[in-house]
Amino acid sequence: MSEVATIVSILGVFLLGAMSPGPSFVVVSRIAVSGERTDGLAAAIGMGVGGFIFAAVAMAGLTALLVQLAWLDIALRIGGGAYLLWIGIKIWRGANEPLEITSEDTAQAGSFRRALVRALLVQLANPKTAIFYASMFAAMLPASPPLWMLLVLPPLLFCNEFVWYAIVAFALSSSRPRSIYLRTKRWIDRAAGAVVGALGMKLMIEGMGAMRTGVN
């Protein structure tokens, strides 16, 4: 396989990964529905930055680092799981609250930055995303990739994540998809909160299980 074909294949695999429902999709969707279109765009940028960071770290040998430092893997799972659990609880608790969208609510100072930071933290809080990046690179990159390939992949993966979540944000910030969400908000939010919280609990249990195994 040529180097260009390898890059295209990697981008395709990561795009499919981004399109899979998960906490990132949930958070970007809620930000897009409850704020202005620019807030959804900020969340998409946050997801892209998270993808860039994961790609850069994976290039630097995250898999080898996690193998050598078991405590880091455990800390990532417990810490990331706790954050996702907190997000899930917040979504569940807010399910019954009406979502009143006004110009004052959506034009708050700093909302762009807050949306970007929240999306970035959700992206970085999931250690499975880090492992996915590292394992896909290990499986799909050639044994001795050229330097230019290592340099272009992180920016391209930023674009991969950003474009997909920008599409999500723009779609759900439109009037018809937004109205559908508002009518079914309570049940969608409860389902989303349960999924995100369950994922967080699963990560924490895995981390604590690995910690007990290490102690024994």
Side-chain angles (χ1 to χ4, degrees):
M1 184 181 294
S2 70
E3 293 165 350
V4 174
T6 298
I7 290 178
V8 172
S9 299
I10 291 173
L11 294 178
V13 169
F14 279 93
L15 180 60
L16 290 174
M19 293 172 68
S20 302
S24 298
F25 182 88
V26 170
V27 170
V28 173
S29 299
R30 284 177 58 83
I31 290 174
V33 167
S34 62
E36 290 186 338
R37 184 164 290 182
T38 52
D39 296 329
L41 186 62
I45 293 173
M47 293 300 171
V49 172
F52 178 91
I53 292 172
F54 278 137
V57 172
M59 292 292 189
L62 176 63
T63 304
L65 183 63
L66 292 178
V67 170
Q68 294 296 323
L69 301 176
W71 64 266
L72 179 59
D73 179 52
I74 294 171
L76 280 172
R77 290 180 181 276
I78 295 176
Y83 183 74
L84 292 180
L85 178 60
W86 177 71
I87 290 290
I89 291 173
K90 284 194 66 175
I91 294 173
W92 179 280
R93 292 179 64 181
N96 290 325
E97 298 176 4
L99 190 60
E100 299 177 358
I101 303 171
T102 66
S103 58
E104 292 181 358
D105 292 332
T106 58
Q108 294 176 5
S111 61
F112 185 95
R113 181 179 61 83
R114 286 197 299 272
L116 191 155
V117 170
R118 184 182 179 191
L120 175 60
L121 288 177
V122 167
Q123 181 83 311
L124 296 180
N126 192 347
K128 288 192 173 181
T129 305
I131 300 299
F132 177 75
Y133 268 74
S135 60
M136 287 301 101
F137 283 141
M140 302 185 72
L141 280 176
S144 300
L147 178 61
W148 69 265
M149 183 182 289
L150 300 180
L151 293 177
V152 302
L153 270 174
L156 286 176
L157 286 166
F158 165 85
C159 295
N160 226 34
E161 297 275 341
F162 167 73
V163 168
W164 165 245
Y165 286 112
I167 292 172
V168 172
F170 273 74
L172 290 181
S173 61
S174 300
S175 57
R176 184 166 182 176
R178 183 194 297 246
S179 65
I180 293 173
Y181 173 81
L182 292 176
R183 287 198 300 269
T184 57
K185 174 184 179 297
R186 179 165 69 172
W187 303 109
I188 291 176
D189 283 8
R190 283 184 173 174
V195 170
V196 175
L199 176 58
M201 284 293 296
K202 183 174 183 293
L203 290 173
M204 293 177 67
I205 290 170
E206 288 176 353
M208 289 184 288
M211 183 166 58
R212 285 195 297 269
T213 301
V215 171
N216 295 334

